Amino acid sequence: MGEIFAGLPWWVKWVAVPVIALVVFGGLIATVVGFVIGLLFKALIFVALVGGLVYVVRKFTSSSSSRGDW
């Protein structure tokens, strides 16, 4: 691969090739990044909901067991 870029100016290696790669694979990169961010967001929502459920259940069971009318 080094021989291909040996005679080319620096801007071709460091500017033109990355720009072409972004144009060609930009949609794929955006799809993957969007999927990962969506998955992380859903995982965060899941953790928050489970944590809230555990908090409510513990709060309810501790207050009902302290009454002692069961």
Side-chain angles (χ1 to χ4, degrees):
M1 194 69 166
E3 338 36 87
I4 296 173
F5 293 118
L8 297 175
W10 66 270
W11 60 268
V12 173
K13 291 185 248 186
W14 300 107
V15 177
V17 172
V19 167
I20 291 171
L22 282 175
V23 168
V24 172
F25 297 109
L28 177 66
I29 293 169
T31 302
V32 170
V33 169
F35 175 75
V36 169
I37 290 174
L39 194 62
L40 288 174
F41 181 73
K42 288 178 183 178
L44 182 66
I45 294 294
F46 176 75
V47 168
L49 288 174
V50 169
L53 178 66
V54 168
Y55 175 77
V56 167
V57 168
R58 285 189 179 174
K59 188 85 167 166
F60 179 72
T61 55
S62 68
S63 66
S64 66
S65 64
S66 64
R67 284 186 285 174
D69 54 350
W70 285 73

